[in-house]
Structure formats: C-alpha cells, structure tokens
Amino acid sequence: AAAFGGPGQAAYAAANTFLDTLAHHRHTHGQPALSLGWGLWEDRSNMTGNLTDTDLHRITRHGVSGLSAAEGLALFDAACTSGEAHLLPIRLDVGTLGRSLDGEPVPALLRGLVRRPARRAAAREGARRQDRSLAARLGELEPAERVEVVLGLVREHTAAILGYAGADGVEAELTFRELGFDSLTGIELRNRLASATGMRLPATLVFDHPSPVELARHIVTEAVGDEPGPVAGPARQADQDGDAVAVVAMACRYPGGVHTPEDLWRLVHSGADAISGFPDDRGWDTEALSWEAVERAGIDPRALRGSRTGVFAGVMYHDYGTQVTEVPEGLEAFVGTGSSGSIASGRVAYHLGLEGPAITVDTACSSSLVALHLAVQSLRNGECSLALAGGVTVMTTPGTFIGFSRQRGLARDGRCKAFADSADGTGWGEGAGVLLLERLSDARRNGHPVLAVVRGSAVNQDGASNGLTAPNGPAQQRVIRQALSSAGLTGADVDAVEAHGTGTSLGDPIEAQALLATY
C-alpha cells in the first residue's frame, strides 16, 4: 500500500511507510532488515478473507493478480538472499495495467514498465477533450435524448469499474448499492465522470443520485443549467393570527444541570461542556416532571381535563421494556403499557385527562421535530385547541453505544463535532423537552406569553438512497424548499440555521451541500 498504492488503504500505507523506512535505516547501518510489500495472494483465508468480489476486481483490473502459496514462498526465499532492504513481491500483468490507465498518465513508479504508444495516448486525449464538450453536445439534443446519452456514459463507466462485460449489463433503475458499489467505487465513479464530462462533481454523488438513471438526469440538469422546478407542498399560510402557531411555554431536562429553558440558554451561551459519564442511578423525581410546561404558561393543569388538548411525543431508543426478563404472576397485562413507546403520548393524555389527538412519533433523530410538525398541523386544522409537543430519549442500556462503536460511528470522546475537520462520529445523550403550542390568536386572547411563532414546516423521505441510513442531498434540498414555501419565506429571509449535523464524514458533506444549495 505504501509503495504501489491501494484504494482505501491510507492508514495502512502510513504504517507501511514507517516500516519500509525503518528497514532502509537499519540496512544503511549494516543491521539486518527486510520489508516486503506483498501483493495479492490467492489464499483468501487471512488478510484478504474479507474482500468482496468487487474489491478483488478493483485490485485485479489494475494488473495485480494473486500469488499461489508456492510462488509466495519462493519469492520470500529469493528476497532473503537479495541483499535489498525493501522489495515488492507482486504478480503484475503489465498489459492489463496499461489498459486500466485508460489514457491517464502512468505513475512514476511504473514508467519503466508501462509504455504507451504516443498515437494511442493522443487519441485518448482527443477523446477526453471531446467528452469535455458535453454541455455543447447536449444543447443540440432533445431532453429525452440528453438523458440517454449521459446514461450511456454512466453505464459505460459503471461497467468498467465493476468488471461487467459491457454497459448493457448495468440496469439503469437499480441502485448503485444493488449493483455492487461501495464508498470507494462510488468515489472512483465520481472521478471518472468528472474527467469525462469536465464537470465538478461532489464526492457524495452516488448517495445523492442513487441509480444510473437518476445520476444521468442530474448530470444533464447540471450541464445544461436547468434550475430546480417548483416544490410541491402546502400553499403558503396566510399571515393572519388565526393561521399562525405560537410557542407559549416550554420545559426541559438535559445533562449539565439543565432543568429549565433558561438553564439551557445559559449552557449554550457559555459554551460549557455538558457531556458526562453514564448515569449511576435513575432516581428522578417523576412528580416534578408531569406538567411544568403547562404551568409555565400560567395554566392550571387541572383545568385542561376534558379539553381538546393534543399530545405529540417524539420517542426514540425506548429500550426500557427490554430489561423485563421475568414478569411476576398477575402483572402480564402491565408489561405492554409500561414499556411500549406507543403508550408514551397516551399516558400523558390519560394523566391530565386530555381529549385531543395523542400521537407517539419515532422517526429516529427527527422524532421531536416531526412531532412539532404534526402538532402545528393539528392546531391549524382545528383538531385541537392546545398541544404539547416534544421529545424524550432515555437509554437504559449501553447497547447503542456499543453498536455504534463497533461500526466506528461513535465519536471517540463522546462529542459530536458536526461540520468540523475533526468530526469522527456521533455522540449520544439523554434528555426531554416539551413545548406548549397554541394558535397565535388564541394565545393573545388568553394572555399567554408568545415565545416564538412557527411560520412553516415540512417533512419528507429520501425515496431512495444507497443504503437505508445514508442521507440523500436532493431530498434534503426539497424539504428545505418546501418548508420555506410553507412559511412564505425565501432563503434570504433566514438569519440563522440550526442543522442536524451527524458528525460523520458521509452525513456532514451531504447536509452541508443541501444547506448551501438552498440558502
């Protein structure tokens, strides 16, 4: 990896380089040392045992093929008597290597091995120049023909990367993930298409446009300069008090000693660190948590009994019920109501005697925002006159920490460094936050404080991506534009944006690009 190169092997190459240099240093000082940069072995039981067929093709199409055990041992014997400090025992097909470069410059390490006729190199360069006039070529075609031309280009490069016999073997509607792509081959496709089209294409290309036909449509749009079409969604709400929704009170419990919204603001303003170790007890005063958000609006919770007040609760990672291993006789009926996430909103409504909608939402990280969206819609539609909306996360076991740590998706220091060069994963925490919502006209008539006004919101789903948990940039752009349209605003009207920010090398660039494209 250090001398010959290897996609996705940057850290491995760094370690190899140190050892190669150590071998040279010892050799120079007359001390025994030998560093062997092995190529691929046919035996896949050890280091190469986890390679997929796609991985193997990516290696072998550059001319590297597997050594047999007998060949490897013979090369080892030869290396030990060579008197050299550093050797590369590799089976290399020079002809295949030359063809794989596809007109690109020969790496300096291989220029003594690979000779390309000047005429062929010139022809390749001419072809590339022709490809780079893609925008001009597309401008002369009908819209349907443009997509077909670019789709052919996408399928051609996809087939070359995956080792298909030809472009016809690449199904246009399948996702790149289904075709056999991983993150490395996704980057390679981006690089090939950028070279062929002369366009600047993002590293997240195959995640934003997850199938060959969708990618082809995107390239056509970018090449001919088409603007995104109007976003379908709810019409702009009138700026009348009866259509606006106000936040009239809030309450929260978060790490760092945060027991009130004022505490939360002081924590944010001071830049303090609220991340702590795992809790060693669960002795919360539940009586103090039942109705604080209602009381802060100046409302007696008992006065809401029988009212059309709604409860919209965002709940995720509710693993409380998984800890029940043995149920005492006669208590079976309480297991469901005591551990089911669907009961969370109903339990609050039951406790306070509320008769509006009671909905529990679990859309992972967006649960509380989706709960807020549904509460606003319910108030505007007259389903309820007052609404509690919020979210809660209680993690009773370290299972999620363990799972994400094994996937290398958890920040090592437990802190999510979203959009930073130092981002190395997400971080988990607990907490609960609740808003009390009311139509703006009702809040003013009832003398309730108006802390904020919700002008618009929107929800959507990717529809397709390369992996269920992989975000999709165009879908994020659509939902942002839809929310702005719902509020009757443009990006220029927005002073500040609070983003999700996963703190990962995949999620952050996709989200950042969506924000840059819309704001």
Side-chain angles (χ1 to χ4, degrees):
F4 194 72
Q9 300 295 322
Y12 195 67
N16 278 191
T17 299
F18 173 81
L19 295 177
D20 295 342
T21 307
L22 176 62
H24 279 289
H25 176 77
R26 290 180 59 85
H27 187 73
T28 301
H29 290 79
Q31 298 172 319
L34 175 60
S35 178
L36 298 180
W38 289 105
L40 187 67
W41 282 49
E42 289 179 349
D43 180 8
R44 294 174 61 182
S45 60
N46 295 311
M47 286 187 64
T48 58
N50 61 347
L51 292 179
T52 66
D53 290 340
T54 301
D55 295 328
L56 283 174
H57 172 71
R58 184 169 58 239
I59 296 171
T60 57
R61 69 190 173 84
H62 289 299
V64 178
S65 56
L67 293 167
S68 68
E71 289 171 325
L73 292 174
L75 287 172
F76 180 79
D77 290 340
C80 287
T81 59
S82 68
E84 298 289 340
H86 181 204
L87 294 170
L88 303 181
I90 297 175
R91 178 189 286 278
L92 184 62
D93 185 330
V94 177
T96 300
L97 174 63
R99 290 190 294 273
S100 73
L101 293 172
D102 195 30
E104 296 299 321
V106 178
L109 178 67
L110 304 174
R111 285 175 190 160
L113 298 175
V114 179
R115 303 285 184 183
R116 183 179 297 118
R119 182 179 301 173
R120 183 185 175 197
R124 293 282 190 184
E125 180 62 25
R128 289 213 306 276
R129 288 176 179 170
Q130 183 180 11
D131 285 340
R132 288 195 175 100
S133 63
L134 178 68
R137 292 168 56 200
L138 294 179
E140 300 171 356
L141 302 175
E142 295 296 323
E145 295 176 315
R146 296 171 184 169
V147 174
E148 285 300 317
V149 168
V150 177
L151 179 58
L153 183 68
V154 172
R155 293 172 72 188
E156 175 187 340
H157 286 286
T158 299
I161 291 171
L162 297 178
Y164 286 21
D168 291 342
V170 177
E171 295 188 41
E173 301 289 343
L174 284 181
T175 66
F176 288 108
R177 184 184 182 89
E178 292 172 312
L179 289 170
F181 269 68
D182 56 21
S183 57
L184 291 177
T185 44
I187 292 294
E188 184 172 358
L189 179 61
R190 186 281 302 264
N191 294 342
R192 280 173 165 263
L193 292 175
S195 177
T197 63
M199 298 169 61
R200 292 187 62 184
L201 300 172
T204 57
L205 193 67
V206 300
F207 292 96
D208 291 344
H209 312 282
S211 70
V213 68
E214 291 178 59
L215 178 52
R217 290 174 184 143
H218 167 71
I219 292 176
V220 169
T221 299
E222 291 294 308
V224 300
D226 289 347
E227 293 294 327
V231 178
R236 173 183 172 179
Q237 299 292 332
D239 290 335
Q240 299 176 359
D241 288 354
D243 291 322
V245 173
V247 177
V248 298
M250 59 181 72
C252 59
R253 294 289 188 276
Y254 294 118
V258 173
H259 297 285
T260 67
E262 292 81 5
D263 288 341
L264 178 60
W265 172 246
R266 281 193 291 270
L267 178 71
V268 174
H269 186 262
S270 67
D273 187 348
I275 299 297
S276 63
F278 287 169
D280 55 10
D281 63 76
R282 281 287 181 252
W284 290 3
D285 183 2
T286 56
E287 291 300 318
L289 302 176
S290 294
W291 46 57
E292 182 184 320
V294 176
E295 290 181 331
R296 288 176 69 96
I299 300 174
D300 184 344
R302 292 169 295 188
L304 295 180
R305 184 167 296 277
S307 68
R308 290 169 56 246
T309 299
V311 180
F312 299 83
V315 179
M316 63 180 291
Y317 294 125
H318 41 86
D319 55 5
Y320 181 79
T322 63
Q323 302 309 297
V324 180
T325 56
E326 295 184 9
V327 181
E329 186 177 353
L331 298 182
E332 297 88 349
F334 297 97
V335 175
T337 56
S339 63
S340 175
S342 62
I343 300 295
S345 56
R347 182 177 290 277
V348 175
Y350 179 82
H351 188 66
L352 296 176
L354 310 179
E355 298 183 1
I359 299 173
T360 303
V361 178
D362 185 356
T363 54
C365 302
S366 62
S367 297
S368 58
L369 285 175
V370 174
L372 174 63
H373 170 81
L374 294 174
V376 168
Q377 298 298 318
S378 186
L379 284 166
R380 285 176 172 167
N381 293 333
E383 293 177 342
C384 58
S385 56
L386 203 64
L388 285 163
V392 57
T393 296
V394 176
M395 308 175 78
T396 60
T397 72
T400 304
F401 288 91
I402 295 171
F404 268 75
S405 179
R406 287 173 175 168
Q407 298 176 54
R408 300 297 185 264
L410 193 68
R412 291 188 177 185
D413 59 1
R415 288 146 179 85
C416 184
K417 298 168 280 292
F419 305 117
D421 287 339
S422 58
D424 59 350
T426 190
W428 301 122
E430 296 183 323
V434 179
L435 304 178
L436 185 64
L437 305 170
E438 191 174 25
R439 282 189 293 269
L440 182 58
S441 56
D442 292 342
R444 287 174 171 163
R445 184 175 62 255
N446 296 327
H448 295 153
V450 176
L451 306 180
V453 175
V454 181
R455 299 219 24 202
S457 61
V459 296
N460 78 347
Q461 167 61 22
D462 295 350
S465 184
N466 278 296
L468 178 63
T469 57
N472 181 274
Q476 292 188 3
Q477 293 181 38
R478 286 193 296 272
V479 79
I480 291 171
R481 291 191 175 104
Q482 187 172 320
L484 289 170
S485 175
S486 170
L489 301 173
T490 67
D493 298 317
V494 177
D495 297 317
V497 174
E498 181 170 345
H500 177 244
T502 60
T504 63
S505 56
L506 172 62
D508 280 3
I510 291 176
E511 186 171 358
Q513 288 166 15
L515 293 171
L516 290 171
T518 49
Y519 288 105

